[in-house]
Amino acid sequence: MMRGQVVHLPLFLILTLILTFSAAYHIGVNYGTVSNNLPPPHQVVNFIKTKTNINHVKIFDANPGILTAFSGITGISLTVTIPNSDIVSLSKLPNARSWLSDNLLPFLPATSIRYIAVGNEVIATSDRTLIGHLLPAMEALTLALHLANVTGILVSTPHSLGILSGSSEPPSSGKFRRGYEKAIFAPILDFHNRTKSPFMVNPYPYFGFGPETLNYALFNSNDIVVVDTVTKLNYTNMFDAQLDAVYSAMKRIGYGDVDIVVAETGWPSAGEPNQTGVGLDFAATYNRNLIKHVNSGKGTPLMPNRVFETCIFALFNENLKPSISEQNFGLFKPDFTPVYDVGIMKN
Ligand SMILES: *[C@@H]1O[C@H](CO)[C@@H](O)[C@H](O)[C@H]1NC(C)=O
Ligand SMILES: *[C@@H]1O[C@H](CO)[C@@H](O)[C@H](O)[C@H]1NC(C)=O
Ligand SMILES: *[C@@H]1O[C@H](CO)[C@@H](O)[C@H](O)[C@H]1NC(C)=O
Ligand SMILES: *[C@@H]1O[C@H](CO)[C@@H](O)[C@H](O)[C@H]1NC(C)=O
């Protein structure tokens, strides 16, 4: 009886069900806390769990209050971040092992941790000492996890698109910054390939659009906007073009198969009076279209049918950020009311 019913479900309904159940799977949020008016972590966790379809949360530290609040919560995994200032120290195995014992082991396995992000946009700092210790710290933490018999936590580091050389247009010509390709990225990508961990990037069409390309940045363009002159592939949105530029850079040095995770992307809902393309409608459009696009499973022109776990920046508006636009990347206000409807609330 049941089996017969399932068999007779129209295909579109089955597809809808699959999409519905997988819909939430790929969308996470960055839970930033540069603010003095946010609710306590246990309320935040309860809100995410009961009211939204968010199933991944990235934090910018390893705050024990937040890790405790996620204890026993199923269906939501976490990325914790190691601050840039700890990277040099954690490149030594004994320090990596004590960091792990002090900061994560007490919360395992009750708190579901999926990724450790080692620093944030380290290459963009241009700090040679920091950059030189990035991979050693990732290796040390991976070994520390192994020595502690922890499985299922992968180590990575999020990059800004500043890792690409200036001329990443068309997307298929994407390459890593001169001088970084062989010395920095080949060994990092080899690490990802060996440990099956993802390459994390923070693509922000918000930082890339100009007067002519606002609709392209907002996924609002049904017309072809960029034709890659080399591949003849058509691009209708900047997000795809940015990811394909990253992919092209990876593939150029042999690592096209390493997974890509979008660790941050977003759009502010308010800004300075003289800022164009910033506001409620723009932010709602970007994030709504982003979620639809990621969950469509279409992938990008160069990576068809690949799905990228995507973490929207950010969960909350954060009132202690330095500029109006930076204060207004949140999907929610500190009292949990949505800043705009982006389609991630449970019915
Ligand atoms: C890890 O597992 C091995 C083999 O099961 C065991 O000998 C070792 O004591 C474990 N180490 C820790 C830190 O639990
Ligand atoms: C790109 O768009 C043009 C114009 O619509 C179309 O002729 C071409 O087939 C498209 N290319 C691909 C690879 O889909
Ligand atoms: C990536 O890892 C696979 C094994 O999982 C290996 O066959 C392949 O050669 C590696 N790629 C590179 C570029 O080293
Ligand atoms: C916009 O206004 C801010 C001050 O509110 C000013 O610092 C900035 O230079 C202005 N930008 C432009 C492009 O006019």
Side-chain angles (χ1 to χ4, degrees):
M1 182 71 178
M2 285 304 289
R3 195 173 295 174
Q5 283 174 352
V6 170
V7 168
H8 288 108
L9 277 179
L11 184 60
F12 80 86
L13 188 51
I14 295 172
L15 289 176
T16 307
L17 285 172
I18 291 170
L19 286 177
T20 307
F21 284 116
S22 60
Y25 186 71
H26 312 291
I27 295 297
V29 288
N30 281 275
Y31 174 9
T33 55
V34 185
S35 186
N36 61 13
N37 60 1
L38 295 184
H42 70 274
Q43 281 181 24
V44 175
V45 173
N46 187 50
F47 170 76
I48 293 173
K49 170 86 184 165
T50 60
K51 297 287 202 293
T52 77
N53 288 317
I54 292 162
N55 71 350
H56 189 80
V57 173
K58 178 165 164 286
I59 59 177
F60 289 93
D61 49 24
N63 181 319
I66 296 180
L67 295 184
T68 303
F70 275 101
S71 177
I73 301 291
T74 55
I76 304 175
S77 60
L78 286 174
T79 297
V80 301
T81 301
I82 290 172
N84 287 0
S85 54
D86 286 353
I87 288 174
V88 171
S89 148
L90 297 194
S91 65
K92 298 201 168 54
L93 182 62
N95 297 343
R97 294 186 80 177
S98 29
W99 184 89
L100 193 62
S101 310
D102 294 346
N103 293 281
L104 295 196
L105 296 186
F107 303 99
L108 300 180
T111 296
S112 168
I113 298 174
R114 176 106 172 262
Y115 299 119
I116 299 175
V118 179
N120 192 35
E121 303 191 346
V122 169
I123 309 296
T125 65
S126 299
D127 178 330
R128 296 176 81 95
T129 306
L130 208 50
I131 294 170
H133 287 82
L134 178 58
L135 181 56
M138 290 162 71
E139 300 271 18
L141 282 155
T142 302
L143 184 52
L145 287 164
H146 180 70
L147 293 172
N149 291 339
V150 175
T151 54
I153 300 184
L154 298 172
V155 175
S156 187
T157 185
H159 302 285
S160 75
L161 289 211
I163 59 175
L164 300 181
S165 81
S167 61
S168 294
E169 207 51 69
S172 65
S173 77
K175 50 177 169 305
F176 292 114
R177 254 159 69 175
R178 193 207 301 257
Y180 285 71
E181 185 170 74
K182 291 217 169 59
I184 307 289
F185 286 103
I188 286 181
L189 285 162
D190 179 67
F191 164 84
H192 290 312
N193 193 43
R194 264 188 285 122
T195 62
K196 307 281 174 244
S197 55
F199 192 66
M200 291 184 167
V201 289
N202 299 342
Y204 276 95
Y206 166 67
F207 291 122
F209 81 90
E212 316 277 272
T213 52
L214 178 58
N215 278 322
Y216 180 59
L218 294 172
F219 301 85
N220 249 351
S221 173
N222 292 318
D223 302 330
I224 299 151
V225 176
V226 171
V227 180
D228 186 313
T229 47
V230 177
T231 60
K232 308 292 180 222
L233 293 171
N234 297 327
Y235 285 82
T236 57
N237 68 82
M238 193 182 287
F239 180 79
D240 279 354
Q242 292 186 337
L243 286 186
D244 276 359
V246 170
Y247 169 76
S248 300
M250 295 164 70
K251 188 156 187 266
R252 183 181 298 272
I253 51 173
Y255 295 100
D257 290 334
V258 167
D259 277 337
I260 296 175
V261 161
V262 174
E264 277 184 38
T265 186
W267 201 283
S269 62
E272 309 296 337
N274 60 4
Q275 274 186 289
T276 52
V278 177
L280 219 50
D281 285 349
F282 298 109
T285 301
Y286 179 77
N287 283 316
R288 216 180 281 141
N289 287 339
L290 169 78
I291 292 171
K292 224 185 290 168
H293 183 64
V294 168
N295 284 331
S296 74
K298 273 196 309 205
T300 69
L302 284 178
M303 296 179 281
N305 308 318
R306 266 173 71 169
V307 174
F308 312 99
E309 292 170 40
T310 296
C311 255
I312 294 176
F313 187 88
L315 179 57
F316 291 115
N317 282 337
E318 293 170 71
N319 68 357
L320 297 181
K321 285 282 177 89
S323 69
I324 310 234
S325 54
E326 286 180 83
Q327 289 165 12
N328 287 283
F329 271 83
L331 301 176
F332 297 96
K333 297 176 190 166
D335 67 358
F336 297 116
T337 54
V339 179
Y340 45 84
D341 171 28
V342 77
I344 52 167
M345 302 305 284
K346 285 199 165 108
N347 293 328

